[in-house]
Amino acid sequence: MTTPFPFTAVVGQDDLRLALLLNAVSPAVGGVLVRGEKGTAKSTAVRALSALVPEVDVVAGCRFSCAPGAPDPACPDGPHEAGTGTRRPARMVELPVGASEDRLVGALDIERALAEGVKAFEPGLLADAHRGILYVDEVNLLHDHLVDLLLDAAAMGASYVEREGVSVRHAARFLLVGTMNPEEGELRPQLLDRFGLTVEVAASREPDQRVEVVRRRLAYDDDPDGFAARWSGEESAVRARIAAARELLPSVRLGDGPLRQIAATCAAFEVDGMRADIVMARTATALAAWAGRTEVLAEDVRQAALLALPHRRRRNPFDAPGLDEDRLDETLEEFGDGSGGQDTPDAPDTPDDDTDPDPDGPGGGRPPADGPEGPEGGESPDSGEGDGGQDSGEVPAQGEPAEGGRAPGAGAGERAPARAAEPFRTKVLSVPGLGEGAAGRRSRARTEHGRTTGSRRPRGALTKLHLAATVRAAAPHQRARGRSGPGLVVRRDDLRQATREGREGNLVLFVVDASGSMAARQRMSAVKGAVLSLLLDAYQRRDKVGLVTFRGSAAEVALPPTSSVDAAAVRLESLPTGGRTPLAAGLLRAHEVLRVERLRDPARRALVVVVTDGRATGGPEPVVLAGRAARLFAAGRIASVVVDCESGPVRLGLAGRLAGELGGTAVTLDELRADSIAGLVRDVQGDGRRAA
């Protein structure tokens, strides 16, 4: 087994290390979500934590890690008599993104059921993780059915399995740690709230610190055992400090003053529910124990807020997580007067963090800078500073010219980006027929998870056994096969695969008209609001999205197909308008994007959303060319819908004609709203075959 990278050898990333250590001190904090760009030691730090977590006492032979002093009375391996057990290291269990439901929660032991005729339960990863750490890398890519199971287990502290005649309940209390790259899509709000703390990580921009990272990584790769041995002293010191903090934790006092500051902070930032208050209280208590104190101070409350609140104050997936630290300080100061406890009415014990000479001593919340760690203080430059991620041509919103004006430096006929109108809940647009794409929430599909609709002979490897159908197929042949015992004699030809129906995620490709005919400020604002609303719907339904825009003389792919819906929202916000309307170019570019994406992911069906007033100008015979391009979608049976943006008392109905050429349907901006009187949920026209 490969020697893990030492936790204390991780350079910088102070907030990440602190959040992990606080959960090691107090698992009741509720876990950590680590968000950040690739290559920032997220997984390395999490995997290294398991070596520092204290060992646990377990009942010998119990597959569900029951504690000897208080065994679970409902343990499937029980009943256990209270007494002595054995000690073993706390487990770090990794949940793969593509794991099956059976692998997570456990299932009937099919082999024993068929061969011996007995019902036996085979535990899953939730049982393995009990009283340990459950780690999910790329947690934002986890399938919805697994997310639902995690939510249930996290809420109840137990896993309930009801399937194939097996009814089992076992304890499942674990420290949930997840890592994710926001560029690949966001996390469902329900699961996001289950993480006690969140940390944003980024690579350091300091050359000295980057040099130290490379130096240590190379040293570890050359000699993992030798490198770990050099850090063993620091690892032992942190392990002992965690154990001491755990012992001190029950003695830590959370006074009325800090408790009022916690409540006031959560109210000031308008977080939903009461879980944030509870997590902040537990985090502040753990911070005090980590610092060796028995009293929670205002600085503990401040640090707890920075770790526990950023991910809870998001109102939609396009909001960046984070806190206004000036507002936080004002709130703490307002509710801190006379709140330090009965013996400290003046509450003067809030030292300045910048003047604390010992960041690890009382009043310090940072993890230890042990041993030859080199450059410390892994604060990366503020992610909000600099314009490295912005398009050079983007015009700041506050610098927009007056209505109808041009952007500074814009070409002829080009206008500054209009702000999007307020988003709204949209009608459901789905691809007709039955697909076989990735799990999601938009269109009907044959999936590995969902309601069982029947059975069939397996094509290739058996992945989901339909037990009843298999037994029915094997039953008539038992006498001919010479069955004499309780077991069922089953042959390969008897096996039946369960067919299930659920929902899939689609590729929603937006083709947006940004020409001069759409450039009226109020009108373009409404169009952007509609597209933003559809993006929100795509986020909730776990779709991939892409964005093609056309104006002037050409079309461009503003955003290739991606799972990051918020990236599409950013591109949409900075979209300028003006010029002619090359509708044919936009449709042809969209068709090419779908062709390439079909090669990459042939099972994912596409839904094309064309946002236009239907006009086509520029070049010879623009209307004829647009019709030819549209008929390519109809010939390929690609599901499509046209959002008709035409306004005014006189309407030409061009968008409706375009929808007819595409083989799809048209809806107006008003009809797109879910609360519109215009009709019921609309499915896009088509014959249900796999689209691009």
Side-chain angles (χ1 to χ4, degrees):
M1 183 175 179
T2 305
T3 303
F5 193 90
F7 185 85
T8 52
V10 174
V11 178
Q13 307 296 13
D14 291 344
D15 287 339
L16 168 59
R17 295 192 296 149
L18 177 61
L20 292 172
L21 289 170
L22 292 177
N23 275 274
V25 170
S26 175
V29 166
V32 187
L33 174 65
V34 187
R35 298 165 44 94
E37 58 196 32
K38 51 189 175 290
T40 49
K42 300 187 297 292
S43 300
T44 298
V46 172
R47 293 190 176 102
L49 177 68
S50 60
L52 302 179
V53 177
E55 295 182 336
V56 294
D57 293 317
V58 296
V59 173
C62 178
R63 297 174 298 168
F64 301 89
S65 303
C66 282
D72 183 2
C75 176
D77 283 355
H80 304 301
E81 293 185 4
T84 58
T86 61
R87 290 181 68 81
R88 64 161 174 78
R91 289 174 179 158
M92 165 80 76
V93 177
E94 293 197 35
L95 172 60
V97 169
S100 67
E101 186 175 337
D102 291 347
R103 185 71 188 99
L104 179 62
V105 300
L108 177 70
D109 190 330
I110 297 296
E111 184 177 347
R112 292 190 62 189
L114 295 179
E116 303 173 25
V118 298
K119 289 195 296 185
F121 178 68
E122 186 176 359
L125 295 177
L126 290 180
D128 293 341
H130 178 47
R131 302 178 66 203
I133 303 170
L134 182 63
Y135 171 47
V136 190
D137 193 14
E138 306 294 352
V139 65
N140 52 323
L141 304 182
L142 202 62
H143 288 175
D144 278 353
H145 67 283
L146 298 182
V147 171
D148 293 337
L149 294 170
L150 276 181
L151 287 172
D152 289 343
M156 298 182 291
S159 175
Y160 292 83
V161 184
E162 301 281 350
R163 56 178 60 199
E164 287 107 10
V166 173
S167 179
V168 172
R169 175 262 179 210
H170 65 83
R173 289 182 294 275
F174 46 81
L175 175 61
L176 182 61
V177 180
T179 55
M180 60 174 282
N181 183 350
E183 294 177 357
E184 297 171 339
E186 282 295 344
L187 201 60
R188 276 177 56 184
Q190 296 93 329
L191 184 56
L192 189 64
D193 190 50
R194 285 293 173 186
F195 287 97
L197 310 179
T198 186
V199 177
E200 295 278 338
V201 296
S204 172
R205 300 299 183 257
E206 294 293 330
D208 290 342
Q209 197 168 69
R210 296 176 74 96
V211 166
E212 188 63 22
V213 170
V214 175
R215 182 181 291 122
R216 293 186 190 184
R217 186 69 214 190
L218 294 178
Y220 170 77
D221 291 341
D222 290 342
D223 182 11
D225 293 335
F227 184 81
R230 290 197 295 275
W231 288 88
S232 60
E234 287 74 16
E235 293 280 287
S236 298
V238 175
R239 194 178 298 113
R241 186 173 174 184
I242 291 173
R246 280 194 171 190
E247 290 185 11
L248 183 62
L249 188 65
S251 304
V252 176
R253 176 178 176 271
L254 179 63
D256 290 342
L259 197 54
R260 279 182 58 80
Q261 288 181 314
I262 290 171
T265 300
C266 292
F269 285 100
E270 299 180 346
V271 296
D272 295 331
M274 294 298 298
R275 184 173 287 119
D277 304 61
I278 297 170
V279 171
M280 272 190 67
R282 289 172 174 166
T283 305
T285 304
L287 279 162
W290 176 249
R293 288 186 268 102
T294 58
E295 189 82 13
V296 173
L297 304 180
E299 63 201 72
D300 299 324
V301 176
R302 185 182 194 278
Q303 183 67 59
L306 293 174
L307 293 173
L309 296 188
H311 62 300
R312 290 189 165 88
R313 58 177 302 274
R314 291 167 57 111
R315 288 295 178 266
N316 66 65
F318 308 141
D319 292 339
L323 288 183
D324 182 342
E325 295 195 30
D326 291 337
R327 185 180 178 190
L328 173 61
D329 291 335
E330 290 173 4
T331 303
L332 293 176
E333 183 177 355
E334 179 182 353
F335 288 88
D337 293 338
S339 62
Q342 293 180 355
D343 349 0
T344 54
D346 296 329
D349 48 354
T350 310
D352 187 340
D353 290 339
D354 295 333
T355 61
D356 188 354
D358 181 10
D360 295 326
R366 295 293 185 185
D370 299 302
E373 185 156 343
E376 198 44 54
E379 304 88 46
S380 61
D382 196 327
S383 60
E385 304 208 0
D387 295 321
Q390 303 294 330
D391 293 334
S392 58
E394 183 175 344
V395 181
Q398 59 268 35
E400 282 188 0
E403 183 145 339
R406 294 179 183 172
E414 181 176 313
R415 300 174 184 237
R419 286 189 177 277
E422 198 66 28
F424 52 85
R425 191 166 64 90
T426 66
K427 281 184 169 61
V428 180
L429 303 173
S430 61
V431 179
L434 204 60
E436 295 183 346
R441 295 182 171 185
R442 182 171 296 278
S443 305
R444 294 174 55 223
R446 299 184 186 92
T447 61
E448 288 293 318
H449 310 278
R451 63 185 182 90
T452 301
T453 57
S455 64
R456 59 174 173 81
R457 292 181 182 272
R459 305 180 192 128
L462 178 71
T463 57
K464 206 72 176 179
L465 179 73
H466 193 299
L467 186 58
T470 299
V471 171
R472 283 196 301 269
H477 309 291
Q478 296 307 295
R479 181 176 296 179
R481 294 172 183 173
R483 172 185 170 187
S484 58
L488 195 66
V489 182
V490 179
R491 303 281 169 80
R492 170 71 185 175
D493 289 344
D494 301 328
L495 298 179
R496 294 295 182 269
Q497 173 87 25
T499 57
R500 298 189 172 189
E501 183 176 316
R503 292 277 168 177
E504 67 176 0
N506 299 116
L507 166 60
V508 182
L509 182 62
F510 294 93
V511 185
V512 180
D513 183 350
S515 65
S517 65
M518 303 280 288
R521 309 295 292 172
Q522 189 173 359
R523 184 178 176 191
M524 196 62 196
S525 176
V527 168
K528 285 189 175 183
V531 178
L532 188 63
S533 303
L534 290 167
L535 284 172
L536 281 166
D537 183 65
Y539 163 78
Q540 293 165 351
R541 300 186 186 282
R542 315 300 284 175
D543 295 317
K544 290 181 71 174
V545 297
L547 179 62
V548 173
T549 64
F550 57 94
R551 65 187 181 92
S553 60
E556 66 171 343
V557 181
L559 183 72
T562 176
S563 297
S564 181
V565 176
D566 54 345
V570 171
R571 301 295 174 90
L572 178 71
E573 189 67 29
S574 60
L575 178 66
T577 57
R580 293 182 179 273
T581 311
L583 177 57
L587 295 175
L588 290 174
R589 179 59 64 92
H591 193 272
E592 177 63 16
V593 169
L594 295 182
R595 185 189 69 79
V596 174
E597 192 64 18
R598 184 171 58 243
L599 298 175
R600 293 175 179 166
D601 189 357
R604 188 182 289 269
R605 298 187 296 166
L607 170 62
V608 177
V609 179
V610 184
V611 185
T612 181
D613 56 10
R615 289 179 172 83
T617 60
E621 299 184 319
V623 176
V624 175
L625 292 176
R628 289 177 185 171
R631 286 190 288 276
L632 291 175
F633 290 81
R637 294 185 172 87
I638 299 171
S640 60
V641 60
V642 177
V643 179
D644 184 359
C645 302
E646 193 174 27
S647 60
V650 179
R651 304 198 180 195
L652 303 178
L654 299 176
R657 295 182 206 170
L658 176 62
E661 299 274 13
L662 288 167
T665 189
V667 295
T668 65
L669 287 174
D670 289 337
E671 291 171 340
L672 192 61
R673 294 178 177 271
D675 54 0
S676 169
I677 308 176
L680 303 173
V681 172
R682 294 189 181 218
D683 278 353
V684 188
Q685 299 299 315
D687 70 350
R689 298 185 184 179
R690 177 182 59 77

